[in-house]
Amino acid sequence: MCLSLSLSLHFLSLNSASPASPKLKLFSVFPSKASPFFFPFSSMGSLSDPFPRLLYPAARRDDSIVDNYHGVVIPDPYRWLEDLESPETKAFVEAQAAVTDSVLAECSEREKLRCEITALFDHERYEAPFKRGEKYFYFHNSGLQSHSVLFVQSKLDSEPEVLLDPNALSEDGTVALSIAAVSRNGKHLAYGLSSNGSDWITIRVMRIDDKKPESDTISWVKFSTVSWTVDGKGFFYSRYPAPKFSDREWDNVESGMETGINLNHQLYYHFLGTDQSEDLLCWEEPENPKYRFRATVTEDGKYIILYIYEGCDPVNKLYYCDLATLSGGLEGFKGSKGFLSFIKLVDNFEARYSVIANDESEFTFITNKEAPRYKLVRVDLTKPDEWIDILQEDQKDVLQFAYAVNGNQLLVCYLSNVKHILQIRDLKTGQLLHCLPIDIGSVTKVSGKREDTQIFFSFSSFLTPGIIYNCNLSTSVPEIKIFREVLVPGFNREDFLVKQVFFPSKDGAEIPMFIVSKKNITLDGSHPTLLYGYGGFNYSLTPYFSVNRVVLARNFGFVFCIANIRGGGEYGEEWHKAGSLSKKQNCFDDFIAASEFLISAGYTNSSRLCIEGGSNGGLLVAACINQRPDLFGCALAHVGVMDMLRFHKFTIGHAWTSEFGCSDIEEEFRWLIRYSPLHNVKRPWQKTSNASIQYPSTMLLTADHDDRVVPLHSFKMLATMQYILSLSILKTPQKNPIIARIDRKAGHGAGRSTQKLV
């Protein structure tokens, strides 16, 4: 993300006519020597000054590839770029990388930015401690370590010891710790490792007392948690069957370079000290190959809860297994050909159900059943038809989560106008007991069990790098103290101002947005501005601290903004549904309206406005520049979903059809083809009387090991944009660069090292 922001600064300065622009060296780009992949048609640069031509790679177009979608013929000339391992695709990637590297090399501010960002990253960071058995565990990064280190200590004030240092697992920081699950008795650590940012995980086990590795190795794990049984003899995990690949593909399995669809998820139980081949297959549904499974063991250790998911909507089935009904326990189940005897409590995908606590067979759940802003309900498993509300849906705030703590109390978090509120309530009645005083921001992590009178939670905001609070619940009024606070040298929160504004979208809906700037700026339309959005999958963008954005605001006067557009979960499931499926266009309208507000309010102008988003947000950015190329000076689309007609054919893309729809269905194809970024690139100067309108300076960012949104999306989009806007027309008005940054040995974003972030 930080490198992309470096580029945004450079592009915005080139395209701005404002006298407030930083004086950067303007650049010209030529390859060092002739290459068959370069085609000298396109030129680039500012709107006012001529520039030497930027030579884009001439990607082969295969006009024979044509699909018929419900009577509509759609060409796909760059289908060959879907083969990530073909020599032709690799040559395309290398040629594009050469263009981008030569552009970035001419940015005089890039090294200054790198130094500033590195300096701000160089500060201690902690995560909230958690207790297992009689030991405490926490993660810590001394500043510029590639990954945070897992520490263990016998007491909170005792000397900590390194338990697992992921930085020792690879020289270049490309092996990351994705899962860390300590057994209930505190004797073993099951940890999952991923390489190069891939979603594939390998689980290993370590003894905690002497820090010695066990022989256990679990492969083919993806989209999984690890849940230990209370006896510490093993754990549940989820995986896919080992695939059958050709020799070429086999080398890349579990590395993130494959694009094959992920089907037939399975739930297993692993016995400590045994080979994976002996693991118990606890559940699978071959007749429903797109289902995904996750199991947790209740805090009392008596029940296994099985969650079943199909898409990405906040809905799931929920089954349970009473371990007391297994003769001989799980060990006695060895050799059995059947699955565990799960009982189906919820056997449809109409709502979300998640266990909060249980007293024997009496369970408390959080759910959105007939409550789009969520509520707490209770049912006795012996009376499965008798559900009662414990904490009813709030009229305006969204119930985010609840944890059972301090015996019969609940730590409850609400989202109120995109800010978190914490409360202590009674577990039995839901009655409000205390409101916990926190600043405007986000609660990022909670650490505490039902037996604990002392809990921890982490807090962050745009101007708060991070605070871990210790909350003592044993007193009549909870006592909250700062346990640890992250301090960033050179950062002074008093230099900045945070506002939340509301603006109308195209259909009149009121959309919230956070605006962060230096204090006392003049609203004269001169400020370079970074607008970030996501708008999908029920995900809420709450306030958080960003080193790179602080650098831009402090050093270059950037205003940065977070638009809470529809499609997210900021106001519950209704807000989410208003930006998904047939209503996806609302997301783009909201983001465009946010841009227009920032211009009309005097923060910026279109030539100095950069938009940014990742994944679903990358789709957002690409769709917006297709629809309003005149509105932006720069666009940064990270790991975006660009081909809305074929996304469901790769890795886990089929799960996103609950959010987008599927081109296999005619009605849904009609939604998708209207905004699919790949299929809506048009020459803007041909749609208006203004012949100078062009696409903004655009960078598509992807990674070679992204097996979530596979890089073929960005590859095909890049080739399409360069061809339509530049390569296919001799005297093109498109002067702004259209380039890509293709990260190596990296994935969708998780597990990225500090060095890669910088």
Side-chain angles (χ1 to χ4, degrees):
M1 180 177 294
C2 298
L3 272 174
S4 70
L5 295 176
S6 166
L7 188 73
S8 76
L9 172 66
H10 190 43
F11 281 173
L12 286 165
S13 68
L14 292 176
N15 296 325
S16 176
S18 165
S21 299
K23 295 185 180 298
L24 302 185
K25 178 182 178 183
L26 303 180
F27 57 84
S28 61
V29 182
F30 288 101
S32 57
K33 56 183 179 180
S35 166
F37 294 104
F38 289 92
F39 201 72
F41 274 174
S42 177
S43 63
M44 51 73 62
S46 74
L47 297 181
S48 57
D49 297 305
F51 282 87
R53 293 171 177 170
L54 180 62
L55 307 178
Y56 293 127
R60 175 175 64 89
R61 289 176 61 84
D62 185 351
D63 294 321
S64 68
I65 305 298
V66 178
D67 295 312
N68 189 315
Y69 291 92
H70 316 287
V72 181
V73 175
I74 305 290
D76 193 4
Y78 300 114
R79 180 77 57 85
W80 57 271
L81 282 169
E82 293 179 359
D83 184 354
L84 302 181
E85 284 295 282
S86 75
E88 190 175 19
T89 299
K90 290 182 177 180
F92 171 85
V93 169
E94 292 302 319
Q96 293 288 352
V99 173
T100 301
D101 288 346
S102 60
V103 172
L104 292 177
E106 293 295 323
C107 178
S108 62
E109 299 296 324
R110 189 180 180 197
E111 286 308 311
K112 295 178 183 178
L113 278 169
R114 185 193 304 278
C115 292
E116 286 282 340
I117 292 170
T118 301
L120 278 189
F121 257 111
D122 193 6
H123 63 271
E124 285 193 292
R125 301 184 290 280
Y126 292 89
E127 289 189 14
F130 59 94
K131 188 178 182 182
R132 295 292 183 271
E134 297 302 317
K135 299 181 178 69
Y136 287 90
F137 303 82
Y138 68 92
F139 284 94
H140 170 257
N141 193 307
S142 61
L144 295 178
Q145 290 176 290
S146 292
H147 302 285
S148 295
V149 178
L150 180 59
F151 284 83
V152 60
Q153 54 190 156
S154 57
K155 297 180 181 179
L156 285 174
D157 57 356
S158 63
E159 187 68 23
E161 300 176 6
V162 173
L163 179 59
L164 179 63
D165 183 359
N167 302 294
L169 301 176
S170 61
E171 293 184 0
D172 57 2
T174 55
V175 174
L177 183 62
S178 300
I179 295 175
V182 179
S183 61
R184 307 288 182 95
N185 55 19
K187 293 184 177 180
H188 285 91
L189 167 70
Y191 59 98
L193 303 177
S194 65
S195 298
N196 304 315
S198 170
D199 281 334
W200 289 109
I201 292 171
T202 300
I203 298 175
R204 303 185 188 278
V205 180
M206 171 192 292
R207 294 198 303 264
I208 291 175
D209 284 343
D210 58 9
K211 305 178 183 59
K212 298 294 184 182
E214 300 281 14
S215 60
D216 309 63
T217 300
I218 313 296
S219 301
W220 308 115
V221 178
K222 207 174 195 183
F223 311 128
S224 176
T225 56
V226 166
S227 187
W228 288 86
T229 44
V230 290
D231 57 14
K233 293 182 178 180
F235 52 82
F236 292 94
Y237 69 94
S238 308
R239 56 165 287 185
Y240 285 101
K244 297 177 181 179
F245 286 108
S246 67
D247 291 341
R248 193 192 80 180
E249 292 170 316
W250 185 260
D251 291 337
N252 297 315
V253 167
E254 288 192 287
S255 73
M257 291 292 283
E258 86 293 341
T259 60
I261 191 168
N262 297 142
L263 297 173
N264 298 305
H265 215 216
Q266 300 166 314
L267 176 69
Y268 276 89
Y269 182 81
H270 174 71
F271 292 96
L272 200 59
T274 65
D275 189 82
Q276 185 176 6
S277 62
E278 300 178 41
D279 291 355
L280 288 181
L281 176 59
C282 301
W283 195 260
E284 65 175 351
E285 295 191 33
E287 68 277 15
N288 294 301
K290 295 180 181 179
Y291 282 10
R292 302 185 312 281
F293 309 109
R294 178 173 66 88
T296 61
V297 179
T298 55
E299 199 167 329
D300 62 7
K302 295 180 179 181
Y303 293 90
I304 308 162
I305 306 299
L306 173 62
Y307 298 94
I308 303 177
Y309 309 91
E310 184 175 29
C312 289
D313 269 353
V315 298
N316 60 274
K317 297 183 180 183
L318 190 143
Y319 302 168
Y320 68 91
C321 176
D322 185 347
L323 285 170
T325 63
L326 300 179
S327 179
L330 289 167
E331 289 181 316
F333 202 71
K334 279 186 176 181
S336 172
K337 295 183 179 180
F339 301 138
L340 291 183
S341 53
F342 284 103
I343 297 174
K344 300 176 180 181
L345 181 64
V346 178
D347 196 25
N348 55 60
F349 290 115
E350 65 176 2
R352 173 193 166 192
Y353 294 87
S354 185
V355 173
I356 301 300
N358 73 292
D359 289 293
E360 298 296 338
S361 62
E362 188 177 73
F363 275 72
T364 301
F365 297 91
I366 186 171
T367 184
N368 56 6
K369 169 73 170 174
E370 299 175 350
R373 289 179 298 279
Y374 293 85
K375 63 181 179 180
L376 297 182
V377 297
R378 184 165 297 145
V379 67
D380 193 316
L381 300 181
T382 63
K383 303 173 184 178
D385 296 326
E386 299 179 14
W387 295 74
I388 60 172
D389 288 357
I390 299 303
L391 178 57
Q392 294 185 349
E393 177 188 30
D394 192 85
Q395 292 185 356
K396 61 182 183 69
D397 296 339
V398 183
L399 179 59
Q400 292 282 279
F401 59 75
Y403 287 87
V405 294
N406 191 29
N408 287 319
Q409 290 184 347
L410 286 170
L411 176 67
V412 172
C413 179
Y414 280 98
L415 188 60
S416 178
N417 274 333
V418 206
K419 285 97 61 180
H420 281 156
I421 293 173
L422 281 183
Q423 300 173 344
I424 300 296
R425 290 181 175 267
D426 184 88
L427 172 61
K428 297 299 181 182
T429 66
Q431 180 182 355
L432 177 63
L433 302 177
H434 306 283
C435 292
L436 302 184
I438 59 172
D439 202 351
I440 295 174
S442 306
V443 176
T444 55
K445 188 173 183 179
V446 174
S447 171
K449 298 288 188 181
R450 189 168 179 180
E451 64 193 32
D452 296 332
T453 59
Q454 180 176 242
I455 62 173
F456 300 88
F457 62 89
S458 302
F459 175 85
S460 178
S461 73
F462 292 118
L463 304 182
T464 305
I467 299 175
I468 300 173
Y469 289 101
N470 182 334
C471 181
N472 182 6
L473 298 173
S474 64
T475 56
S476 57
V477 176
E479 295 179 349
I480 299 179
K481 297 180 180 179
I482 294 178
F483 179 69
R484 288 187 176 120
E485 182 171 7
V486 174
L487 299 176
V488 178
F491 169 70
N492 183 3
R493 62 177 293 154
E494 299 303 321
D495 295 339
F496 300 93
L497 176 68
V498 179
K499 291 182 180 179
Q500 186 181 36
V501 299
F502 293 81
F503 59 88
S505 188
K506 182 177 181 180
D507 62 357
E510 287 291 306
I511 312 298
M513 176 165 60
F514 290 105
I515 301 176
V516 184
S517 67
K518 283 186 174 180
K519 285 186 176 178
N520 303 318
I521 64 171
T522 302
L523 298 182
D524 58 1
S526 67
H527 306 287
T529 298
L530 180 68
L531 173 63
Y532 187 87
Y534 186 76
F537 294 90
N538 197 45
Y539 181 75
S540 302
L541 289 179
T542 58
Y544 62 97
F545 187 79
S546 169
V547 163
N548 51 297
R549 290 171 188 171
V550 165
V551 168
L552 292 177
R554 187 177 67 177
N555 292 34
F556 300 101
F558 264 74
V559 175
F560 66 86
C561 314
I562 305 292
N564 298 110
I565 62 179
R566 283 172 287 186
E570 286 86 350
Y571 294 97
E573 187 57 14
E574 292 172 343
W575 192 256
H576 168 219
K577 289 300 184 185
S580 65
L581 298 174
S582 64
K583 298 179 180 179
K584 189 66 179 175
Q585 181 61 39
N586 283 338
C587 302
F588 315 136
D589 291 341
D590 293 354
F591 206 54
I592 288 169
S595 304
E596 292 174 331
F597 172 86
L598 291 169
I599 294 170
S600 65
Y603 284 98
T604 190
N605 61 70
S606 60
S607 68
R608 310 208 79 199
L609 175 60
C610 174
I611 55 172
E612 182 183 28
S615 196
N616 175 77
L619 157 65
L620 169 72
V621 167
C624 286
I625 61 173
N626 278 343
Q627 296 181 16
R628 286 294 307 276
D630 60 302
L631 192 56
F632 316 108
C634 177
L636 301 165
H638 300 252
V639 293
V641 186
M642 302 299 185
D643 188 344
M644 302 308 297
L645 303 186
R646 289 176 57 79
F647 69 85
H648 60 291
K649 297 179 180 292
F650 308 104
T651 61
I652 196 59
H654 60 80
W656 313 334
T657 58
S658 62
E659 183 76 11
F660 301 133
C662 180
S663 61
D664 295 341
I665 300 171
E666 182 173 1
E667 181 188 9
E668 298 177 4
F669 162 75
R670 304 289 175 183
W671 309 337
L672 295 165
I673 194 62
R674 290 193 188 103
Y675 70 82
S676 176
L678 182 66
H679 302 95
N680 285 278
V681 180
K682 302 290 191 299
R683 296 169 183 165
W685 54 86
Q686 294 178 346
K687 301 193 314 182
T688 175
S689 59
N690 187 348
S692 67
I693 292 180
Q694 59 177 309
Y695 270 66
S697 300
T698 300
M699 175 178 271
L700 308 181
L701 298 99
T702 187
D704 60 355
H705 286 73
D706 187 349
D707 48 8
R708 186 83 57 85
V709 180
V710 287
L712 64 89
H713 283 276
S714 294
F715 294 170
K716 291 169 69 175
M717 183 69 177
L718 180 68
T720 299
M721 292 183 71
Q722 289 179 346
Y723 176 77
I724 292 176
L725 300 175
S726 294
L727 295 177
S728 62
I729 180 170
L730 283 172
K731 294 183 178 180
T732 176
Q734 182 63 39
K735 297 179 179 180
N736 294 330
I738 308 292
I739 59 176
R741 186 179 189 278
I742 304 165
D743 203 358
R744 312 302 172 88
K745 301 181 74 174
H748 197 61
R752 187 168 291 173
S753 68
T754 299
Q755 288 70 30
K756 280 193 174 291
L757 289 174
V758 172

